[in-house]
């Protein structure tokens, strides 16, 4: 379900992320390439947001609960005009605003500070409940990792979302089946994963998380059911697009990337360094 | 005090449409009217405190002022990371109402004793900590929580506590209240150790020692000006708290005094629980008495130091 090839924009975005990494020489690159198409489709086609008014009360909310995938978010925030593009060149720098995990209040367009796993879905439940109290129509999207679903708080939040029948809430799982040490099957099996979400009260769809038209199609049919929260299980590949990186835990958080490695990565994408 | 606090939620919900109440599987008593009249802003959630804190943060990020009530231990240490990150780091107006601060739940044993709650809440930037001494003071506190910026931890006492707060001493979050003025000894207290210190001051008078009682209902931010002014007039300063000595009121007072020009001008002692898990059951007053948090204990300490 995840053998799709990358289109021109996906390759260019990977190149842009490599450029950010060249400055910092570190980052959660495997995770970023896993969820890049998901975040891209959200900002291109799904989220009702206004870069000129990031706190617009009626905006859709997007929480990157797996905060370590932030490079994809930062790139989209720059592309959409929430932050100046030059800021990307200060990733992880003392004077910059873009850290290894996204921060609310510091980065326009970031809805919650994440990084410690298992927080985002609860915050999203609260936002969706607030929308209900205020009779507002905005939607809340929370992107979690699969390893993140080891955290009990994710399932506390899932219980609660099901109880409240939060149809404005969508959880998106970046299901690349890899975590830091190794595979999810090896560290903590999540299967039967779809059944779990369904049993917690979610309406569930599965999709290839790198197939842009397929993602657009699935997000276009939200909510899947009128009185349930939705879950989109995105089958992804950690490090997608880079032969050396795909499914290789060494690239979960990579530091000290050499010049030779950068040259090879750009070449693989079809770009000069 | 819990009752007064929860009943006051009705007025707050009425006064401000941003107010939301969230209970974690707490008793229904005293909440029925709130639930009936404000059903869209009244939530009884399950026994998942970590989630509730995040949920409240999400509401606050959307313009609400959530008030959460459950047992103090579960509201502080069970979900510490959520309190620190979701509420503290985001600096949100979430109000944490902890039932049974200190050793109120003495007969239930150490799992239910909140004797390090002040210390761990103090370590969170942006967090305000208030421990009222009686229900009248609770009545004065609650309306002020609507406008206070950032998160607040409200430490509830047992209930039925002797009324010692005074209508003629204005209550303001962050401003200590001098309930008794004396020249020899200064007791600095919070929560119900204020009652203990007032009784100790009564007993010291015939013994030739006059004592001040500075009620530090807001432990953080601490009213340093009031503390320094009172300490500057005393020969002996004693803090008393229903809390471990590691990082609570006594530590906070010591930090201020030791770094001031007053350092060394008086004798100083902290009273509280030592660095142990208490083994005793019984009652709140039994345990407090064992560790010197009684009028007798405060009198003896004052006499020893004076």
């Amino acid at each position: 379900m995840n053998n799709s090839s990358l289109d021109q924009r996906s390759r260019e975005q990977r190149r842009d992320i490599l450029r950010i990494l060249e400055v910092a020489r570190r980052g959660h690159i495997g995770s970023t390439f896993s969820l890049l198409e998901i975040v891209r489709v959200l900002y291109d086609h799904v989220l009702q947001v206004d870069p000129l008014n990031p706190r617009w009360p009626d905006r859709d909310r997007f929480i990157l609960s797996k905060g370590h995938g932030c490079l994809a978010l930062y790139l989209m925030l720059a592309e959409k005009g929430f932050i100046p593009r030059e800021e990307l060149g200060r990733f992880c720098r003392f004077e910059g605003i873009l850290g290894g995990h996204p921060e609310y209040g510091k980065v326009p367009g970031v809805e919650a500070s994440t990084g410690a796993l298992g927080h985002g879905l609860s915050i999203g439940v609260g936002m969706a409940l607030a929308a209900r109290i205020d009779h507002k129509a905005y939607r809340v999207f929370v992107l979690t990792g699969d390893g993140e679903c080891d955290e009990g708080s994710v399932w506390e939040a899932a219980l609660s979302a099901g109880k409240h029948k939060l149809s404005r809430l969508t959880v998106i799982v970046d299901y690349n089946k890899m975590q830091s040490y190794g595979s999810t099957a090896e560290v903590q099996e999540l299967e039967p994963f779809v059944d779990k979400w369904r049993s917690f009260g979610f309406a569930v769809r599965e999709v290839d998380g790198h197939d842009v038209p397929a993602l657009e199609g699935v997000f276009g049919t939200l909510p899947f059911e009128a009185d349930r929260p939705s879950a989109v299980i995105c089958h992804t590949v950690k490090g997608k697009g880079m032969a050396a990186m795909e499914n290789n835990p060494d690239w979960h958080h990579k530091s000290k990337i050499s010049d030779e490695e950068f040259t090879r990565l750009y070449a693989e994408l079809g770009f000069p360094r | 005090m819990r009752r007064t606090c929860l009943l006051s939620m009705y007025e707050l919900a009425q006064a401000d449409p941003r107010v939301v109440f969230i209970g974690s599987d707490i008793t229904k008593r005293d909440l029925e009217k709130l639930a009936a009249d404000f059903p869209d802003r009244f939530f009884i959630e399950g026994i998942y405190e970590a989630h509730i804190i995040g949920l409240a943060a999400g509401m606050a990020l959307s313009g609400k002022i959530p008030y959460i009530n459950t047992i103090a231990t579960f509201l502080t240490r069970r979900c510490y990371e959520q309190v620190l990150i979701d509420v503290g780091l985001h600096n949100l107006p979430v109000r944490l109402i902890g039932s049974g601060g200190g050793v109120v739940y003495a007969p239930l044993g150490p799992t239910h004793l909140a004797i390090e709650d002040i210390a761990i809440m103090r370590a969170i930037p942006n967090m305000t900590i208030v421990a009222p001494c009686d229900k009248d003071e609770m009545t004065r506190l609650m309306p002020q929580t609507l406008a206070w910026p950032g998160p607040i931890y409200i430490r509830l006492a047992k209930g039925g506590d002797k009324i010692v707060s005074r209508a003629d001493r204005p209550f303001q979050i962050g401003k200590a209240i001098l309930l008794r003025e004396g020249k020899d000894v200064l007791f600095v207290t919070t929560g119900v150790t204020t009652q203990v210190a007032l009784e100790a001051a009564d007993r010291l008078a015939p013994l030739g020692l006059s004592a001040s009682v500075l009620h530090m209902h807001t432990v953080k931010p601490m009213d340093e000006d009031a503390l320094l002014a009172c300490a500057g007039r005393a020969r002996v300063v004693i803090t008393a708290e229903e809390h471990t000595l590691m990082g609570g009121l006594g530590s906070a007072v010591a930090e201020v005094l030791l770094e001031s020009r007053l350092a060394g001008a008086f004798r100083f002692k902290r009273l509280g629980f030592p660095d142990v898990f208490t083994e005793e059951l019984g009652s709140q007053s039994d345990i407090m008495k064992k560790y010197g948090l009684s009028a007798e204990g405060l009198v003896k300490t004052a006499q020893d130091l004076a």
Side-chain angles (χ1 to χ4, degrees):
Chain A
M1 209 172 180
N2 43 35
N3 296 319
S4 54
S5 58
L6 300 175
D7 65 12
Q8 178 72 13
R9 182 157 151 79
S10 278
R11 287 200 304 280
E12 285 172 356
Q13 289 195 321
R14 278 171 175 73
R15 174 200 62 196
D16 293 347
I17 284 166
L18 288 178
R19 284 190 179 144
I20 303 171
L21 283 166
E22 271 203 84
V23 179
R25 296 275 162 168
R26 65 182 303 136
H28 284 93
I29 182 168
S31 309
T32 297
F33 286 1
S34 176
L35 54 72
L36 188 52
E37 280 68 40
I38 302 169
V39 178
R40 162 187 160 182
V41 170
L42 284 173
Y43 277 91
D44 277 354
H45 298 283
V46 182
L47 298 173
Q48 299 291 313
V49 289
D50 180 0
L52 298 177
N53 186 10
R55 298 276 177 96
W56 171 40
D58 294 332
R59 72 193 181 280
D60 288 336
R61 272 71 167 169
F62 170 60
I63 298 171
L64 181 64
S65 192
K66 56 175 295 185
H68 57 282
C70 57
L71 283 167
L73 175 62
Y74 296 158
L75 183 64
M76 288 313 298
L77 291 177
E79 287 192 6
K80 298 299 175 189
F82 284 90
I83 55 173
R85 214 171 163 100
E86 308 82 72
E87 200 54 57
L88 298 173
R90 291 189 281 271
F91 175 61
C92 287
R93 295 266 290 269
F94 182 80
E95 70 278 16
I97 59 169
L98 305 178
H101 297 98
E103 288 181 67
Y104 168 83
K106 198 184 267 187
V107 186
V110 168
E111 298 284 359
S113 297
T114 52
L117 296 174
H119 289 240
L121 192 52
S122 293
I123 294 173
V125 167
M127 289 175 170
L129 285 170
R132 178 178 286 173
I133 294 170
D134 292 336
H135 306 291
K136 285 187 177 286
Y138 66 77
R139 301 174 300 169
V140 182
F141 297 83
V142 179
L143 176 48
T144 73
D146 46 13
E148 180 174 8
C149 292
D150 297 351
E151 292 282 4
S153 55
V154 170
W155 302 102
E156 295 181 4
L159 267 179
S160 173
K163 164 189 158 176
H164 290 291
K165 304 183 191 309
L166 294 174
S167 56
R168 288 194 191 87
L169 176 72
T170 300
V171 61
I172 304 160
V173 186
D174 174 15
Y175 193 18
N176 57 37
K177 290 112 192 150
M178 293 291 290
Q179 44 198 116
S180 186
Y181 179 84
S183 69
T184 52
E186 189 183 2
V187 178
Q188 175 56 58
E189 180 59 89
L190 295 166
E191 291 295 337
F193 202 34
V194 168
D195 292 346
K196 284 189 175 68
W197 287 102
R198 204 163 270 148
S199 71
F200 276 73
F202 283 70
V204 189
R205 297 271 175 86
E206 294 177 82
V207 65
D208 176 344
H210 300 293
D211 183 335
V212 169
L215 285 165
E216 288 172 18
V218 167
F219 289 137
T221 59
L222 287 168
F224 301 144
E225 289 182 35
D227 59 350
R228 286 175 189 275
S230 304
V232 183
I233 309 297
C234 296
H235 294 278
T236 52
V237 177
K238 196 160 185 169
K240 173 74 179 179
M242 306 276 115
M245 219 182 280
E246 288 192 2
N247 295 319
N248 181 353
D250 290 348
W251 284 83
H252 170 77
H253 180 268
K254 187 73 171 171
S255 56
K256 302 190 181 74
I257 307 171
S258 68
D259 285 349
E260 294 70 31
E261 279 172 313
F262 269 114
T263 303
R264 213 163 37 240
L265 294 172
Y266 282 115
E268 202 176 333
L269 290 167
F271 298 107
R273 186 165 172 219
Chain B
M1 182 184 287
R2 175 184 175 277
R3 183 146 201 252
T4 305
C5 178
L6 295 185
L7 290 174
S8 75
M9 286 308 309
Y10 191 91
E11 283 76 47
L12 298 189
Q14 209 166 29
D16 194 322
R18 298 172 300 169
V19 168
V20 173
F21 179 83
I22 309 166
S24 164
D25 195 32
I26 53 176
T27 175
K28 206 173 265 184
R29 203 180 55 236
D30 302 326
L31 292 168
E32 275 125 334
K33 199 164 145 55
L34 182 69
D37 291 356
F38 300 98
D40 58 331
R41 291 188 279 142
F42 179 86
F43 295 86
I44 289 298
E45 296 297 302
I47 307 166
Y48 38 39
E49 292 78 11
H51 167 61
I52 286 177
I53 300 294
L55 180 157
M59 285 185 171
L61 284 165
S62 313
K64 305 295 169 207
I65 307 177
Y67 288 72
I68 309 173
N69 176 230
T70 192
I71 292 174
T73 53
F74 311 135
L75 193 54
T76 54
R77 63 185 183 224
R78 171 84 193 188
C79 46
Y80 190 62
E81 189 180 84
Q82 276 76 11
V83 175
L84 189 143
I85 293 177
D86 301 350
V87 174
L89 176 61
H90 291 76
N91 197 12
L92 297 172
V94 173
R95 281 72 178 101
L96 308 167
I97 304 169
S99 298
V103 291
V104 166
Y105 293 125
L108 302 184
T111 60
H112 280 55
L113 303 187
I115 58 171
E116 74 298 300
D117 54 338
I118 292 174
I120 63 176
M121 290 295 108
R122 267 188 78 215
I124 299 175
N126 300 322
M127 184 63 71
T128 291
I129 303 168
V130 187
C133 62
D134 61 34
K135 73 178 174 67
D136 287 7
E137 189 163 73
M138 180 60 76
T139 308
R140 293 179 202 116
L141 161 67
M142 290 304 279
Q144 292 188 20
T145 61
L146 285 177
W148 186 257
I152 310 176
Y153 172 56
I154 300 169
R155 191 190 214 218
L156 296 184
K158 187 176 182 180
D161 310 284
K162 184 182 174 190
I163 305 296
V164 294
S165 68
R166 290 163 53 170
D168 62 345
R169 303 283 157 103
F171 180 91
Q172 203 182 330
I173 297 174
K175 295 287 173 202
I177 300 174
L178 189 59
L179 283 172
R180 177 74 59 92
E181 210 159 348
K183 59 180 176 45
D184 303 308
V185 177
L186 168 65
F187 291 118
V188 186
T189 56
T190 195
V192 298
T193 54
T194 295
Q195 281 90 329
V196 176
L198 287 166
E199 192 186 333
D202 284 343
R203 295 193 194 184
L204 282 169
L207 301 173
L209 287 173
S210 73
S212 298
V213 177
L214 183 64
H215 174 46
M216 196 67 76
H217 50 74
T218 305
V219 178
K220 182 187 171 183
M222 178 161 283
D223 187 349
E224 297 186 9
D225 292 342
L227 174 63
L228 291 169
C230 292
R233 298 192 291 266
R235 289 188 287 126
V236 172
V237 177
I238 298 166
T239 63
E241 60 193 309
E242 189 185 355
H243 187 272
T244 172
L245 291 170
M246 315 279 283
L249 172 75
S251 300
V253 167
E255 288 157 15
V256 173
L257 294 181
L258 275 172
E259 289 180 348
S260 76
R261 59 180 170 73
L262 299 173
F266 47 78
R267 302 192 69 187
F268 181 72
K269 177 79 179 167
R270 296 169 301 144
L271 292 176
F273 303 120
D275 186 24
V276 295
F277 289 104
T278 56
E279 291 177 359
E280 304 77 12
L281 298 170
S283 71
Q284 177 191 29
S285 60
D286 289 339
I287 294 182
M288 287 178 69
K289 193 171 176 182
K290 172 178 170 174
Y291 293 102
L293 292 168
S294 59
E296 299 80 20
L298 267 61
V299 165
K300 183 173 183 312
T301 304
Q303 284 182 306
D304 288 349
L305 295 182

